Amino acid sequence: FFKIDTTIKRIRTFMQRGLSDAGIDLTVDQWVVLDHIHPSPGISQNDLATITAKDAPTITRILDLLVQKGLIRRQMSEYDRRKFSIFLTEEGEKQHLQAFHVIAEVRKKSWENLTDEDYNHLVRIMDQIYENSISS
């Protein structure tokens, strides 16, 4: 697990450097949230927390920062007044697209010299580790 943890930290640092070098004012966590809102306009804050594997206070803090940056807007849910639907703003769409290209390049560089078979093995192994850890 040490190897997995150090690899994740290295990748996050590489991604953050890519965003910063491109002049994009986003953290990796903010990018992840934007990237999950993009295909699911109106997603609930709770669903966003679940799919990003972040707890409620953390997702709230990230969303507050994204609102301050003008990248997202919260709208009270028409079905449940206790919940909010989250949408990208026009600026949020622009930032998402710009960051997407940077992250795609980082991913491409990270996968250099690896085959599709390598990728498939890694995904299978990581899925199995994940399943083993939740079934205990």
Side-chain angles (χ1 to χ4, degrees), residues 88-103:
L88 293 181
T89 63
E90 188 175 321
E91 184 59 30
E93 290 285 353
K94 289 179 191 173
Q95 282 275 343
H96 175 266
L97 183 60
Q98 187 179 13
F100 181 84
H101 293 300
V102 171
I103 297 299

Side-chain angles (χ1 to χ4, degrees), residues 1-13:
F1 289 108
F2 177 75
K3 188 57 130 174
I4 293 169
D5 189 50
T6 56
T7 301
I8 289 168
K9 287 177 181 172
R10 171 77 51 99
I11 291 168
R12 287 179 66 83
T13 299

Side-chain angles (χ1 to χ4, degrees), residues 16-57:
Q16 189 61 61
R17 190 172 348 116
L19 291 170
S20 297
D21 289 352
I24 299 171
D25 182 26
L26 290 174
T27 65
V28 173
D29 285 336
Q30 290 168 359
W31 153 251
V32 167
V33 170
L34 285 181
D35 195 45
H36 281 87
I37 296 169
H38 177 73
S40 304
I43 189 169
S44 75
Q45 193 163 320
N46 289 340
D47 288 346
L48 203 49
T50 300
I51 64 173
T52 60
K54 302 202 179 303
D55 60 30

Side-chain angles (χ1 to χ4, degrees), residues 7 16 23 29 37 68 85 121 126 130:
T7 301
Q16 189 61 61
D29 285 336
I37 296 169
Q68 288 174 6
S85 299
H121 284 308
M126 295 301 290
Y130 182 84

